[in-house]
Amino acid sequence: MLKTLRLVPIVVAIAASASAQSVTFTKDVAPILQRSCQSCHRPGQMAPMSLLTYQDVRPWARAIKQRVMDRTMPPWGIDPHIGLQSFKNDPTLREDEVEKLVKWVDAGAPMGTAADMPKAREFDDSDRWHIGKPDIIVTSPKHVVPAEASDWWGSYYVNTGLTEDRYIKAIESKPGNTAVVHHLLTYAVDAEMGDSNGDDSNGDAGEFLNEFAVGKNGDLFPEGSGRLLKAGSKIKFDFHYHSVGKEMTDQSQLGIVLYPKGYAPKHVVYSKQLGQPTEPLDIPGGSTYVRSDGYTRFNKPGKLTAFQPHMHTRGKRQCIELIYPDNKTEQINCADWSFNWHIVAVYSDDVAPIYPAGTVLHVISWHDNSANKANPDARNWVGSGQRTIDEMGFAWITWYDLTDEEYKTEFDARKATGAKRTTNTAPGLQPQ
Ligand code: HEC
């Protein structure tokens, strides 16, 4: 008897602390969804369901738990356990936010008190250019996306009308219809290219310009840096359209702000396909992990500002590393690949890898041609090629060259701060 009595207060104490910590939709979950999910998950946007209200969200609770735990939502891809981890555009949820969402789902997804609900997020007027008034606006041809059809990957080429070489100061891609534009990448290509409108190839060489991603406001190059747009060049619009059960038309735009005539920025920013596989790809039907390697040597010192893997439907994962002239090797990043998402990871200024002349970029890609992978046909042998059903394995790298002097100055400055910004343990040129 005495024993039971003694237990009572303890049980009450536990219950009280559990309720104090209980996680609710209005208090804990809604703020996370507003910041990290609603840019895509609201009516008229690309995601399949809205996550605005409790009623919208409740049926998806278990799917949300799964997608935030396996880190496929929000889409990003960069492996958080390897290499550099400081980006300008990383949408990843923090560990404690993932825990909160999981806890909420495990507790039965309670709504909580209405008074705790934060004010609805207001979304930006999508007609507005975030980069200021563009000097040039290039518009893609009208594309009709049927109510029901498989996804469409393809390119359109449009003239810029530019008659002299100019430098780009800022650039922004703006889809006409965000419900059906899954991704839009833009490239500058030479005048003679692009007679293949509607072709599904991704592989024509070109200068990668800009990517549209939901919630992204365009690229403003740091003062004194910019990208060359050659006279007569064309814009290649590279689309992934997705049907949404209703016929829709899209016509997208690229806006470009130029530096004044005659002005040449100190640093010219390049984006190119680097580290093409050294051997033609040879991926047997049913194979799980086939590796390919590619190498590109940088003849000048430089700073690598962004990384985007590029593979096709058999792509699984890609890693990049730098092999310095003294043969030390440093892992820069690894990213899981999904053909649904083409994501450019932009390094924060203070960690963007710098390297001396003679450094080799090593691109390592893994291809999966097994039945587990969303795969057009796991029985087929797959090789290198331009079509979506062929395979690729290179990286889009954005960088600018430095002089030896600039490289040394920045190297010394980073060393002096002593900040460790990478998970790597091997000594490399990132300050340890
Ligand atoms: C960049 C746009 C974007 C963002 C940001 C985003 N999603 Fe998604 N989400 C999508 C798209 C598109 C799909 C459908 C394709 C897919 O599954 O990859 C999807 C699918 C999902 C699914 C699976 C639905 C199903 O049919 O099973 C869940 C769950 C989900 N998202 C939850 C979230 C959560 C939670 C967040 C925020 C933490 C989030 N998403 C952020 C675009 C986005």
Side-chain angles (χ1 to χ4, degrees):
M1 187 63 200
L2 192 64
K3 251 188 181 162
T4 323
L5 269 178
R6 277 174 125 194
L7 267 176
V8 170
I10 298 171
V11 170
V12 169
I14 291 169
S17 84
S19 90
Q21 288 175 5
S22 72
V23 179
T24 70
F25 179 79
T26 52
K27 179 163 58 73
D28 306 284
V29 173
I32 300 174
L33 301 184
Q34 284 190 347
R35 200 200 64 223
S36 301
C37 318
Q38 292 179 356
S39 52
C40 301
H41 287 272
R42 69 190 150 99
Q45 298 295 319
M46 61 151 89
M49 75 286 191
S50 161
L51 295 179
L52 293 181
T53 66
Y54 180 71
Q55 284 68 28
D56 291 341
V57 174
R58 181 65 190 86
W60 294 98
R62 271 153 48 121
I64 290 171
K65 173 179 166 183
Q66 192 204 329
R67 294 297 208 105
V68 299
M69 280 178 73
D70 70 13
R71 297 201 170 270
T72 51
M73 283 291 145
W76 176 235
I78 295 284
D79 186 326
H81 305 295
I82 292 175
L84 299 174
Q85 295 301 331
S86 180
F87 298 90
K88 290 182 178 171
N89 60 335
D90 182 353
T92 310
L93 298 183
R94 293 190 317 263
E95 207 59 56
D96 61 299
E97 294 172 318
V98 172
E99 273 168 30
K100 243 184 209 169
L101 292 175
V102 169
K103 231 178 176 177
W104 174 69
V105 176
D106 289 345
M111 176 168 139
T113 325
D116 286 340
M117 185 70 185
K119 216 167 110 280
R121 177 174 160 190
E122 277 175 32
F123 291 95
D124 220 342
D125 174 5
S126 61
D127 293 340
R128 199 163 69 82
W129 290 101
H130 298 87
I131 52 170
K133 188 173 171 300
D135 297 300
I136 301 179
I137 296 176
V138 188
T139 305
S140 69
K142 277 202 175 112
H143 182 97
V144 177
V145 183
E148 279 179 41
S150 37
D151 287 16
W152 191 91
W153 284 273
S155 308
Y156 288 112
Y157 296 82
V158 185
N159 284 317
T160 52
L162 199 67
T163 54
E164 66 209 328
D165 290 1
R166 292 286 290 273
Y167 287 92
I168 300 173
K169 188 169 195 301
I171 187 158
E172 180 175 350
S173 307
K174 199 201 304 261
N177 189 331
T178 46
V180 292
V181 177
H182 202 299
H183 79 237
L184 162 59
L185 303 162
T186 49
Y187 303 84
V189 298
D190 291 342
E192 65 272 16
M193 283 180 55
D195 297 327
S196 50
N197 274 348
D199 174 2
D200 71 352
S201 72
N202 253 333
D204 295 346
E207 291 258 347
F208 173 71
L209 290 175
N210 179 245
E211 176 208 37
F212 161 73
V214 179
K216 191 171 152 173
N217 300 333
D219 290 335
L220 256 161
F221 297 118
E223 196 55 43
S225 68
R227 191 164 277 180
L228 177 62
L229 189 60
K230 286 205 226 116
S233 54
K234 288 178 180 170
I235 299 301
K236 175 183 171 205
F237 289 86
D238 193 355
F239 284 105
H240 171 187
Y241 284 120
H242 181 72
S243 293
V244 291
K246 206 161 84 180
E247 186 177 291
M248 297 261 191
T249 303
D250 172 65
Q251 193 164 24
S252 293
Q253 290 186 314
L254 178 70
I256 301 174
V257 178
L258 297 169
Y259 278 109
K261 226 179 244 192
Y263 175 90
K266 189 167 164 210
H267 293 126
V268 178
V269 179
Y270 305 97
S271 279
K272 294 201 169 141
Q273 307 174 351
L274 302 187
Q276 293 280 1
T278 47
E279 307 274 332
L281 297 174
D282 176 5
I283 308 171
S287 57
T288 317
Y289 271 103
V290 174
R291 170 171 167 163
S292 63
D293 292 80
Y295 303 86
T296 300
R297 182 179 193 272
F298 291 107
N299 295 324
K300 295 179 182 166
K303 180 186 270 192
L304 207 152
T305 61
F307 160 49
Q308 185 202 332
H310 185 87
M311 306 171 81
H312 282 180
T313 56
R314 271 79 173 187
K316 187 170 183 70
R317 185 173 166 88
Q318 188 173 84
C319 296
I320 55 169
E321 56 185 33
L322 291 174
I323 305 168
Y324 301 111
D326 62 1
N327 277 335
K328 277 182 190 146
T329 299
E330 189 161 33
Q331 183 104 65
I332 302 302
N333 278 111
C334 288
D336 288 328
W337 173 253
S338 155
F339 195 50
N340 276 334
W341 298 106
H342 293 239
I343 298 172
V344 184
V346 183
Y347 294 106
S348 301
D349 295 331
D350 55 340
V351 305
I354 53 170
Y355 49 83
T359 297
V360 172
L361 171 80
H362 180 195
V363 176
I364 307 158
S365 305
W366 285 273
H367 311 270
D368 178 352
N369 195 11
S370 66
N372 323 331
K373 171 117 178 120
N375 183 345
D377 188 344
R379 293 168 304 180
N380 277 349
W381 174 87
V382 178
S384 306
Q386 303 285 332
R387 299 168 304 169
T388 305
I389 56 167
D390 300 324
E391 203 36 53
M392 292 194 174
F394 62 78
W396 280 106
I397 296 291
T398 305
W399 84 96
Y400 57 79
D401 296 333
L402 299 170
T403 62
D404 288 314
E405 197 56 48
E406 285 170 332
Y407 169 72
K408 193 174 175 310
T409 307
E410 181 134 7
F411 179 76
D412 291 343
R414 287 188 182 197
K415 210 156 198 171
T417 68
K420 180 169 159 47
R421 294 298 184 77
T422 162
T423 58
N424 294 338
T425 49
L429 291 186
Q430 292 297 323
Q432 298 294 313

